[in-house]
Each structure stands twice: as structure tokens, then as C-alpha cells.
Amino acid sequence: MTIPPQQFASDNYAGICPEAWDAMAAANTASAPAYGDDDWTQRAADAFRTLFGTQCEVFFAFNGTAANSLALAALCQSYHSVICSSSSHVETDECGAPEFFSNGSKLLVARSDDGKLTPEAIRELATSRSDIHFPKPRVVTITQPTETGQVYTAEEIRAISATCRELGLKLHMDGARFAHACATLQCPPAEITWRAGVDVLCFGGTKNGMAAGEAIVFFDTELATDFDYRCKQAGQLASKMRFLAAPWIGLFESGAWLRNAEHANLCAARLAGAIDGLPGVRLAFPVQSNAVFIHARDELLEGLSARGWRFYTFIGGSARFMFAWDARIESIDLLAQHVEELAVTMDEPA
Ligand SMILES: *Cc1c(COP(=O)(O)O)cnc(C)c1O
């Protein structure tokens, strides 16, 4: 068996991109004040304000689970609830951290096949009960792009935020792959965040070329009150903050944040284009960002595993392939070739 040269099970299999690495090296040339009181952290926060064109408050956490959980906890009292979709990371992949850090705010889950929330689904959950016995709806969280790779348009986000405002709900965006959505939509980041009514964004760095790190961006700056204490209490205040902050400067100043995401999206489109429509193979979701989900016969997926390919099958039994800044065209083409060989072999009459 030849071992696949590169795996696409997750976009966090990738290493650190050169721009992030160089920025960390540059931050490593001298000592600097600790706990975020340094120039790198200041410059990184300013870079976010420049990118978004607004006076947002920015914080840096080690990972997305913490970023999401602490952001949601900042928006909620313990008796509040958070509306999310059934396949959202906060519901399925954070081990109860949003409930834990909010001291019990309940997640209200809307069934969603593709991971998207709609104004209708939000309204239905938010108005299902208004009595004292039910946790009071306070926040809506949407994932951009969704866990299934679907991208909300600016119009869809505006419609959701209009519903939120009408119902007195705050809007949080889990942007673990926010850059990939920007690359798909080719629009200014402001257009799909604060200008569309998003109050808080968790902007992912890890899946887009950084070693570690997510930024929590408060567009409604009043919501950021005491957030630094919340980070510290949760073990998320980096003492050598400059190494979480500097990579953002490297990514933004070089444009790599968008280039990396564009590359990853193109790689997903390349695989999808090569295998969609092969016998017994079909896409489980439209490919709108850096993920490809395929439905195929068990034998085909087993065949891919036997050839050494790794992939997740936790969403509806379909196989997921995800691409990052480092995906190589030859590796994608080899995967596509293997899918094709298996599909064609299985299609032949015995
Ligand atoms: C990866 C991911 C996160 C963050 O996960 P961590 O492992 O905690 O960094 C958050 N939301 C979504 C949708 C993700 O895919």
C-alpha cells in the first residue's frame, strides 16, 4: 500500500504557514511586556480594526472552543439560552463548554440539515415559550461557514439579525473558518459582520495557517466589559501574548489570511469537480468553502481507508475532506484518482 502523501481529514492537520511563522520569529527577537501589554498585541488588535473598518474590541484565545464559550458566556446570564443549529460546533463538539462557562445557559437546538439557521427557525424557538419556567432566549449563534461548508450570504445574515433585533436577541458568529467565507463571497469582512448586525465574531486563525489562536471581536464594544477577566479566569490569558498576536499581523499585512482561504476553497472545488457524478458518488452538500462531503457506498469508503486515506464520517455518514493553505494539487488529484478507480471497479458487473 502506498501511503497518501498528505491527508485531508481536517484542515487543522496543516502546519504553520510561512507568514505566521515569520511573524512569530520577528516577535521572538527581543523581550516584551507580558499579558498583552506589548506592541505586537496592540498592533494586532489595530489590524483587526483596520480590516473591519470599525472600533471593535479584540481579544486573543488559544482555541475556538474557548473563544465561542467565553463570548457566549459574556452575552448571557446563567438563566438565559442560546439558539444554535443541530450541527453547530457549540452543540456537538465543545463538550458542554458553552454551558459550563456560562454557568448553565442552555443551548436551544434547531434541527437543520445543512447547518444553517433561518429567521423562521429562530423565531419558532425564541417564541416557543415565554413563561418563567423556560430559560430566556438571549443569543443566536451562527457558524460562517457552517460545519457542512455552507456560506451565509450577507443578505441571509441581515435577515437573521433583523429577526434577532426584533426578538431582543444578540447575534454571535462562530467564524472558525471566517476567512473562507470572505474568500467565497469576495466581500469586505465588514459586510458579513457588523454591517449585517453581528455583535460578536470568533475569528479563527488555527485552521487558516496559524499554530494556535482565535480572536474574539466585539463589534458591540459594551459587551466586552470585563472580558479580559473572563479570559484570565478560564485560563485563556496568554502571558506571552505576543506569540498569539503576532501571527495575525503577519497574515493580515501580507494578505495571506485571504490567500490561504482562497487556496483551500479552490482545492475543495477541484476535488468536488473531479469526483462528483462518478458512479455511486455524490456530494452531500454544495461545495461553498474548503470542505467536501461525499456520499458513497460503504465499500468505496472502506476502499479509501484501505488505501490509507483518513476522513471523518460524523456528519450523516458522509465522508468529509477538508483543505488548508498547504494542500497540494498532486495530493488532491491522487485522492480523486483513487475515488474514481474504486467507483468504476464497483460499478462493473461481477
Ligand atoms: C474547529 C472549529 C472550532 C474550534 O475548535 P477548537 O478545536 O476548539 O479550536 C469552532 N467552530 C467550528 C465550526 C470549528 O470547525
Side-chain angles (χ1 to χ4, degrees):
M1 188 183 81
T2 55
I3 297 164
Q6 195 177 15
Q7 295 286 355
F8 302 118
S10 176
D11 37 1
N12 52 29
Y13 277 35
I16 304 167
C17 72
E19 294 83 355
W21 184 259
D22 290 349
M24 285 179 92
N28 196 36
T29 51
S31 70
Y35 297 108
D37 220 7
D38 62 288
D39 291 344
W40 294 99
T41 304
Q42 182 63 44
R43 269 178 64 198
D46 286 342
F48 277 90
R49 290 186 267 273
T50 303
L51 182 74
F52 285 98
T54 188
Q55 282 305 314
C56 44
E57 288 283 343
V58 184
F59 301 85
F60 301 101
F62 291 104
N63 65 25
T65 298
N68 282 337
S69 303
L70 296 175
L72 292 173
L75 304 180
C76 288
Q77 297 289 336
S78 58
Y79 50 83
H80 282 142
S81 53
V82 174
I83 294 172
C84 66
S85 104
S86 48
S87 58
S88 63
H89 200 268
V90 292
E91 160 68 4
T92 64
D93 289 297
E94 299 190 355
C95 199
E99 295 93 327
F100 177 77
F101 283 110
S102 61
N103 279 317
S105 305
K106 186 178 167 67
L107 296 181
L108 300 181
V109 178
R111 251 255 40 89
S112 163
D113 289 331
D114 66 357
K116 275 192 182 177
L117 282 180
T118 60
E120 296 70 37
I122 291 164
R123 184 181 303 280
E124 195 182 314
L125 267 178
T127 58
S128 63
R129 290 268 297 267
S130 57
D131 57 271
I132 192 77
H133 305 287
F134 193 72
K136 190 178 180 189
R138 169 72 174 165
V139 182
V140 169
T141 175
I142 58 176
T143 309
Q144 172 76 320
T146 67
E147 291 72 8
T148 60
Q150 307 303 291
V151 174
Y152 287 94
T153 63
E155 195 180 351
E156 286 174 318
I157 298 167
R158 285 195 297 268
I160 285 173
S161 79
T163 303
C164 289
R165 271 195 302 281
E166 186 195 323
L167 299 170
L169 306 169
K170 299 289 179 198
L171 183 56
H172 165 264
M173 179 178 278
D174 173 352
R177 303 183 180 89
F178 181 72
H180 301 82
C182 295
T184 299
L185 295 170
Q186 290 292 323
C187 73
E191 213 60 48
I192 50 171
T193 53
W194 64 275
R195 283 211 192 102
V198 172
D199 296 301
V200 185
L201 166 71
C202 293
F203 191 145
T206 311
K207 287 173 179 147
N208 199 27
M210 286 174 42
E214 318 275 306
I216 302 111
V217 184
F218 286 90
F219 299 111
D220 179 343
T221 53
E222 270 181 35
L223 296 172
T225 306
D226 289 346
F227 194 74
D228 42 354
Y229 288 88
R230 201 177 279 284
C231 289
K232 173 67 192 184
Q233 186 183 49
Q236 290 286 325
L237 179 67
S239 55
K240 295 188 180 178
M241 185 77 87
R242 65 189 184 282
F243 297 111
L244 281 191
W248 288 105
I249 301 173
L251 287 183
F252 287 154
E253 287 186 353
S254 66
W257 75 280
L258 196 57
R259 248 187 343 266
N260 285 352
E262 284 167 347
H263 172 77
N265 288 358
L266 280 173
C267 291
R270 185 177 182 96
L271 177 69
I275 64 176
D276 189 25
L278 289 172
V281 177
R282 74 189 161 77
L283 299 179
F285 302 100
V287 174
Q288 297 183 353
S289 52
N290 64 329
V292 177
F293 288 83
I294 59 170
H295 281 308
R297 292 174 28 197
D298 288 346
E299 295 85 338
L300 189 146
L301 298 184
E302 284 158 15
L304 283 177
S305 296
R307 292 180 181 211
W309 292 101
R310 301 182 66 148
F311 49 86
Y312 294 154
T313 53
F314 57 79
I315 294 187
S318 58
R320 185 188 83 163
F321 295 95
M322 295 221 79
F323 301 91
W325 67 274
D326 68 337
R328 292 191 298 272
I329 298 300
E330 322 81 82
S331 315
I332 300 162
D333 290 351
L334 183 67
L335 171 58
Q337 183 196 320
H338 285 186
V339 174
E340 181 172 0
E341 285 167 9
L342 289 162
V344 171
T345 315
M346 282 166 197
D347 198 46
E348 282 162 2

